[in-house]
Amino acid sequence: MATETPPPSKAQAQLPSTEEFAEVQQSAEFGDLRRSYRSFAFPLTIAFIAWYLLYVLLSNYAGDFMGTKVAGNINVALVLGLAQFLTTFLIAWWYARHAAARLDPKAEAIKSRMEGGA
């Protein structure tokens, strides 16, 4: 079986020291990475939890509304329940795009600098 990648190097990679980790953690570059992550993840997490709780509260206290027929035997509760799945997948897709565009390059730059590649 042919492969295009060379076999892994047998040389041990030098691991950063505890002091180097602490230094990077205090750096502006790492702070920017953390801020980029938090500014995306926290608002979406709060929004999704609120959306989920709204669904649960409507299911418990607005039975007539949730039982309203939309088309045939499909009611509002089913539509909103399926929308929960849809929003879960949309958020995961959106996060993957955000991470690839904004988080991964910053994290890779920090990693390569810590491993001595830069």
Side-chain angles (χ1 to χ4, degrees), residues 53-110:
L53 289 176
L54 174 67
Y55 177 73
V56 171
L57 291 172
L58 286 173
S59 295
N60 283 323
Y61 300 110
D64 291 338
F65 170 70
M66 295 296 269
T68 303
K69 301 280 185 188
V70 176
N73 287 330
I74 299 173
N75 60 17
V76 172
L78 180 63
V79 171
L80 293 180
L82 292 174
Q84 290 284 319
F85 287 101
L86 178 64
T87 54
T88 299
F89 290 116
L90 286 174
I91 289 171
W93 170 78
W94 193 12
Y95 176 77
R97 285 187 44 149
H98 172 75
R102 297 216 173 102
L103 303 179
D104 292 348
K106 292 175 185 178
E108 188 59 39
I110 293 170

Side-chain angles (χ1 to χ4, degrees), residues 25 89 111:
Q25 185 179 14
F89 290 116
K111 178 185 172 202

Side-chain angles (χ1 to χ4, degrees), residues 7-64:
S9 172
K10 300 218 187 242
Q12 284 285 54
Q14 172 122 8
L15 294 177
S17 68
T18 305
E19 293 80 22
E20 289 171 320
F21 275 111
E23 182 182 317
V24 167
Q25 185 179 14
Q26 299 303 320
S27 71
E29 187 180 23
F30 186 77
D32 185 46
L33 173 62
R34 190 171 41 216
R35 197 169 22 266
S36 294
Y37 169 74
R38 288 180 178 170
S39 68
F40 184 88
F42 287 171
L44 273 179
T45 300
I46 291 167
F48 186 79
I49 289 172
W51 160 228
Y52 175 74
L53 289 176
L54 174 67
Y55 177 73
V56 171
L57 291 172
L58 286 173
S59 295
N60 283 323
Y61 300 110
D64 291 338

